[in-house]
């Protein structure tokens, strides 16, 4: 029977299966939204997007991807993998409802206010609810016999809790030390590090092992290996420390950490690979599982390269590497891993349309990873950009929303074929399902509306106000002309259109990946107004002598602290730099006359 109690009618999937399928649909729904926002971000590099701040879209994208898709799928995999009794499943419904509301709240606040009162409230709600999940799941695991899988899952949950300590210290750190301080950077890094290397990686491995254990396989993971794995997760945080304190000892510890991690991964992946040979996974499940494992191998090897301090230093400064790495863990290891388990468990059917979806998703992932790492390496070698790099990256990224549309379509009509179809209750539930989803959505939007209006929307400090943090560093008298070969540049009264055109050609090729022509920041500041902000000599020195400028010029350093990305040296000649300057002057003149 359908109950009439308002709360339970919103969540009237009284059967565990129904609850589970709804859960998975929400997770994939958030995945779809996250990749759409990822695509919008990449379109920023191809066309000019008005109204929206790149950074706000970035915050929305990362929160929804990490907390909507990744987190929901992992927690879901744990809940539905571990909880066996129907009654117990019910306990998780309220936590789930709250989490969906928190996510919708973030979805509707981050794009407009970036970090602000509303978005921070919803993210805080999310964190609090995650403690609820952690508490219940840890209790459940405690009451059971310990196995390698449950021990790994327990570790993953603990690392998730540890990661959130970084979030709690963000407020105090930014209030007392400011957002430009190294400690602020390190608290963000703390969160990301323990999320990726602890929570996501161990969580996925735990779910894979849990599946095999249920199939009756004995897994050999002695507790000393588990210890070494945990130690490696804690120690690899050293990389973030080297960023703030580039001293040999931290680089050495970091090197040691990645070697320990390789050893720990080797043990655990070896036993999983031998289990894969037993053919418990078939079809796409198997393909996805192999891809997940391959991503983990690639991750460990990339981190292994960090034993070389010269590589550890650049790993942070090249944006494409950072994004490529994040995607390797989240799209590769995590997404492919949990999806493989979900397919093997029959939570996601293998329909033709889903298969097409998986093929497109895998293609999008592989192509964009190759582009990112290739381009990152070209920048490292100072070889400029691949022809039409941004366009190709955008085009390949179009595969993501398309693939997810197919996957969602495949999920829409879940067949209860391998489940207890005989239960009439399930069939009844099945028919009323779209209604309940809609109700959840409407209700959570209502709550959001109340919160939004009662907080007045918040104003968000989004805009980059060049914080010239007068920290007690060496008080060098700044030369407004910067450092480099240009001591005095002659500029004419008007604009030399030919010179400007030559500059535009170079800007289109080598700069628009990071700079827009308006005043909005992308990776670096927008070019609009730069010729009034800076002396012409400074601009030309910045373009031709960027490494020295970033190391020594106070204005360039302030920009670096704000952008947290080093502008690469691209071997621009003096003649080209003059053309670029002329183009910037033309751009400013055009923008001013609008
Ligand atoms: C990989 C991204 C990237 C590329 C490509 C890039 N820049 Fe930058 N640029 C930055 C960043 C980031 C900053 C801010 C300083 C920092 O953090 O290094 C910056 C700062 C600048 C500034 C100072 C802006 C200001 O407001 O004072 C100028 C001028 C500049 N870049 C010009 C160029 C030109 C010209 C090109 C192309 C030849 C270019 N940049 C290519 C990332 C980039």
């Amino acid at each position: 029977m359908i109950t009439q109690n308002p709360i339970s009618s919103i969540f009237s999937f009284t059967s565990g299966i129904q609850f589970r399928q709804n859960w998975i649909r929400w997770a994939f729904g958030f995945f779809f939204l996250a990749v759409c926002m990822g695509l919008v971000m990449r379109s920023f590099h191809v066309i000019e997007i008005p109204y929206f701040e790149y950074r706000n879209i970035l915050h929305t994208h990362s929160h929804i991807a990490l907390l909507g898709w990744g987190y929901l799928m992992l927690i879901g995999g744990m809940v539905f993998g571990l909880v066996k009794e129907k009654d117990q499943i019910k306990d998780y419904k309220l936590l789930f409802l709250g989490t969906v509301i928190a996510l919708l709240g973030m979805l509707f606040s981050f794009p407009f206010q970036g970090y602000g009162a509303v978005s921070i409230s919803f993210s805080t709600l999310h964190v609090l609810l995650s403690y609820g999940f952690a508490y219940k799941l840890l209790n459940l695991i405690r009451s059971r016999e310990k196995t390698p899988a449950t021990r790994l899952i327990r570790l993953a949950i603990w690392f998730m809790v540890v990661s959130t300590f970084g979030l709690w210290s963000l407020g105090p750190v930014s209030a007392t030390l400011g957002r430009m301080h190294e400690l602020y950077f390190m608290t963000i890094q703390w969160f990301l590090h323990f999320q990726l290397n602890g929570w996501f990686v161990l969580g996925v491995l735990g779910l894979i092992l849990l599946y095999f254990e249920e199939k009756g396989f004995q897994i050999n993971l002695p507790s000393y290996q588990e210890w070494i794995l945990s130690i490696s997760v804690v120690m690899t945080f050293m990389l973030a420390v080297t960023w703030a304190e580039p001293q040999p000892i931290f680089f050495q510890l970091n090197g040691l950490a990645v070697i320990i991690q390789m050893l720990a991964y080797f043990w655990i992946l070896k036993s999983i690979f031998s289990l894969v040979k037993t053919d418990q996974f078939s079809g796409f499940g198997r393909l996805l599982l192999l891809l997940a494992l391959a991503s983990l191998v690639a991750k460990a090897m990339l981190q292994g390269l960090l034993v070389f301090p010269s590589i550890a230093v650049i790993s942070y400064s090249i944006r494409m590497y950072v994004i490529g790495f994040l995607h390797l863990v989240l799209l590769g290891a995590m997404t492919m891993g949990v999806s493989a388990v979900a397919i093997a468990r029959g939570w996601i059917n293998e329909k033709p349309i889903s298969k097409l979806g998986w093929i497109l998703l895998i293609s999008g992932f592989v192509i964009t990873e190759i582009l990112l790492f290739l381009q990152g390496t070209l920048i490292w070698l100072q070889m400029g950009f691949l022809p039409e790099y941004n366009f190709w990256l955008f085009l390949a990224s179009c595969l993501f929303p398309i693939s997810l549309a197919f996957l969602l379509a495949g999920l829409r009509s879940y067949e209860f074929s391998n489940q207890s179809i005989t239960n009439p209750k399930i069939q009844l539930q099945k028919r009323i399902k779209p209604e309940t989803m809609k109700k959840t959505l409407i209700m959570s939007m209502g709550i959001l509306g109340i919160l939004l209006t009662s907080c007045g929307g918040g104003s968000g400090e989004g805009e980059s106000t060049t914080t010239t943090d007068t920290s007690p560093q060496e008080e060098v008298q700044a030369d407004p002309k910067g450092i480099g070969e240009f001591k005095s540049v002659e500029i004419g009264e008007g604009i030399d259109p030919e010179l400007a055109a030559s500059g535009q050609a170079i800007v289109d090729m080598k700069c628009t990946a990071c700079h827009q022509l308006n005043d909005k920041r992308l990776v670096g500041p927008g070019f609009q107004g730069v010729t009034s902000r800076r002396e012409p000599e400074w601009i030309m020195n910045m373009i031709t002598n960027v490494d020295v400028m970033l190391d020594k010029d106070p204005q360039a350093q302030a920009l670096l602290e704000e952008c947290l990305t080093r502008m690469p040296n691209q071997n621009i000649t003096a003649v080209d730099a003059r053309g670029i300057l002329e183009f910037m002057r033309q751009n400013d003149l055009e923008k001013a006359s609008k």
Side-chain angles (χ1 to χ4, degrees):
M1 281 307 297
I2 310 168
T3 46
Q4 289 310 311
N5 172 315
I7 288 286
S8 64
S9 76
I10 290 161
F11 263 65
S12 62
F13 13 93
T14 36
S15 83
I17 298 170
Q18 198 61 61
F19 181 34
R20 189 189 71 211
Q21 290 318 114
N22 272 316
W23 186 309
I24 290 177
R25 280 192 200 103
W26 275 103
F28 272 86
F30 284 122
F31 195 8
F32 176 67
L33 292 169
V35 299
C36 286
M37 276 174 293
L39 188 64
V40 169
M41 276 156 60
R42 284 186 175 154
S43 70
F44 265 93
H45 301 274
V46 183
I47 46 170
E48 275 199 36
I49 308 258
Y51 311 119
F52 279 106
E53 278 286 334
Y54 178 82
R55 263 190 303 165
N56 292 348
I57 304 290
L58 168 67
H59 293 321
T60 325
H61 165 79
S62 51
H63 280 81
I64 297 297
L66 219 66
L67 306 178
W69 164 243
Y71 170 86
L72 265 193
M73 262 324 253
L74 266 195
I75 285 276
M78 291 172 186
V79 168
F80 297 107
L82 289 169
V83 180
K84 296 292 172 224
E85 277 104 69
K86 236 178 167 181
D87 306 343
Q88 288 185 342
I89 270 287
K90 268 197 238 129
D91 302 352
Y92 293 89
K93 285 184 181 170
L94 224 50
L95 285 174
F96 174 69
L97 174 68
T99 305
V100 168
I101 290 172
L103 286 164
L104 290 172
M106 289 185 237
L107 179 65
F108 289 104
S109 53
F110 271 116
F112 308 103
Q113 65 166 183
Y115 278 102
V118 183
S119 57
I120 291 179
S121 310
F122 280 113
S123 345
T124 312
L125 175 63
H126 193 285
V127 176
L128 294 175
L129 291 164
S130 74
Y131 293 163
F133 274 118
Y135 176 77
K136 291 195 72 68
L137 286 170
L138 288 173
N139 262 342
L140 187 70
I141 291 172
R142 192 172 310 133
S143 68
R144 285 178 152 211
E145 197 198 337
K146 303 279 171 300
T147 66
T150 56
R151 279 187 292 149
L152 266 188
I153 291 176
R154 188 182 56 181
L155 255 184
I157 295 174
W158 273 115
F159 278 126
M160 176 193 68
V161 173
V162 167
S163 77
T164 60
F165 298 163
L167 298 179
W168 295 120
S169 30
L170 271 184
V173 170
S174 70
T176 54
L177 300 168
R179 291 179 179 220
M180 297 304 139
H181 199 273
E182 284 154 357
L183 214 60
Y184 182 76
F185 169 81
M186 275 168 64
T187 45
I188 295 178
Q189 214 46 44
W190 177 281
F191 171 73
L192 266 180
H193 171 80
F194 285 105
Q195 282 272 311
L196 287 188
N197 297 301
W199 165 234
F200 283 119
V201 170
L202 303 193
V204 157
L205 290 172
L207 287 183
I208 295 171
L209 290 187
L210 187 68
Y211 174 79
F212 281 112
E213 280 176 2
E214 282 180 10
K215 291 277 158 189
F217 289 92
Q218 278 286 332
I219 292 150
N220 182 24
L221 185 72
S223 60
Y224 77 88
Q225 294 186 357
E226 189 193 323
W227 269 104
I228 290 184
L229 186 61
S230 335
I231 291 170
S232 80
V233 173
V234 176
M235 268 185 75
T236 42
F237 182 68
M238 270 309 149
L239 181 62
V241 179
T242 64
W243 196 84
E245 295 287 335
Q247 285 162 21
I249 175 74
F250 294 120
F251 282 107
Q252 284 153 7
L253 283 174
N254 179 54
L256 187 64
V258 293
I259 292 170
I260 292 179
Q261 174 176 277
M262 280 208 264
L263 185 68
Y265 276 27
F266 172 75
W267 283 326
I268 192 161
L269 291 180
K270 198 179 77 169
S271 58
I272 296 183
F273 270 118
S274 64
L275 289 168
V276 174
K277 285 199 209 111
T278 61
D279 268 345
Q280 289 302 310
F281 282 77
S282 58
F284 270 81
R286 189 186 173 85
L287 177 63
L288 291 174
L289 181 63
L290 287 173
L291 265 169
L293 299 180
S295 303
L296 280 177
V297 172
K299 168 191 182 282
M301 293 205 311
L302 282 175
Q303 282 179 296
L305 292 176
L306 302 177
V307 292
F308 306 105
S310 58
I311 299 184
V313 172
I314 60 116
S315 69
Y316 264 99
S317 59
I318 297 183
R319 199 181 154 75
M320 287 88 180
Y321 283 165
V322 177
I323 299 172
F325 186 79
L326 284 171
H327 286 178
L328 185 65
V329 177
L330 287 166
L331 281 172
M334 193 280 293
T335 297
M336 306 294 171
V338 289
S339 304
V341 173
I343 290 177
R345 285 183 180 272
W347 296 352
I348 301 177
N349 326 64
E350 288 189 87
K351 293 190 195 146
I353 191 159
S354 326
K355 286 183 184 161
L356 187 59
W358 291 122
I359 292 175
L360 294 176
L361 185 71
I362 294 170
S363 320
F365 167 65
V366 173
I367 298 173
T368 52
E369 286 292 293
I370 291 175
L371 280 172
L372 284 167
F373 279 104
L374 191 62
Q375 185 54 63
T377 307
L378 286 181
I379 288 198
W380 185 20
L381 301 175
Q382 303 189 2
M383 286 167 63
F385 277 85
L386 291 166
E388 302 293 335
Y389 164 73
N390 284 299
F391 172 73
W392 291 114
L393 188 63
F394 172 77
L395 204 67
S397 310
C398 292
L399 290 170
F400 288 111
I402 301 173
S403 67
L404 271 147
F406 285 133
L407 290 174
L408 276 172
L411 278 176
R412 245 194 48 187
S413 48
Y414 180 78
E415 280 147 30
F416 292 78
S417 53
N418 41 6
Q419 318 283 347
S420 50
I421 193 85
T422 41
N423 184 346
K425 209 175 187 175
I426 295 175
Q427 285 174 332
L428 181 65
Q429 298 296 332
K430 197 176 164 191
R431 251 181 289 129
I432 61 162
K433 204 236 65 256
E435 274 301 294
T436 57
M437 282 264 290
K438 220 177 285 163
K439 269 193 219 156
T440 324
L441 193 73
I442 291 168
M443 190 178 127
S444 29
M445 303 259 264
I447 294 175
L448 178 73
I450 296 164
L451 274 174
L452 265 177
T453 43
S454 61
C455 310
S459 55
E461 17 66 304
E463 283 298 312
S464 51
T465 40
T466 314
T467 359
T468 16
D469 188 14
T470 38
S471 47
Q473 284 171 355
E474 328 130 47
E475 288 285 335
V476 205
Q477 194 52 45
D479 182 353
K481 300 196 169 174
I483 305 157
E485 59 174 300
F486 301 100
K487 306 290 180 217
S488 79
V489 178
E490 300 250 330
I491 43 175
E493 269 299 305
I495 302 284
D496 179 342
E498 240 172 73
L499 195 57
S502 76
Q504 175 162 26
I506 300 163
V507 168
D508 281 347
M509 206 161 56
K510 295 189 166 171
C511 320
T512 45
C514 304
H515 295 281
Q516 298 193 92
L517 299 184
N518 56 26
D519 61 355
K520 297 256 188 301
R521 191 168 106 191
L522 206 52
V523 181
F527 279 157
Q528 182 175 341
V530 67
T531 57
S532 45
R533 275 201 295 278
R534 317 279 184 208
E535 297 291 322
E537 294 82 5
W538 189 94
I539 295 178
M540 288 180 66
N541 284 327
M542 179 74 184
I543 300 174
T544 52
N545 195 28
V546 57
D547 285 322
V548 175
M549 285 288 278
L550 288 176
D551 289 340
K552 302 222 171 89
D553 181 84
Q555 286 180 312
Q557 282 180 323
L559 278 178
L560 174 62
E561 285 184 1
E562 199 184 317
C563 301
L564 296 178
T565 309
R566 271 182 92 92
M567 166 160 146
N569 174 353
Q570 301 200 71
N571 295 324
I572 306 284
T573 64
V575 179
D576 288 347
R578 183 64 189 85
I580 293 172
L581 176 67
E582 199 67 5
F583 171 64
M584 286 173 167
R585 294 180 60 221
Q586 182 188 23
N587 179 48
D588 276 345
L589 217 63
E590 275 172 15
K591 293 274 148 67
S593 63
K594 261 190 194 160

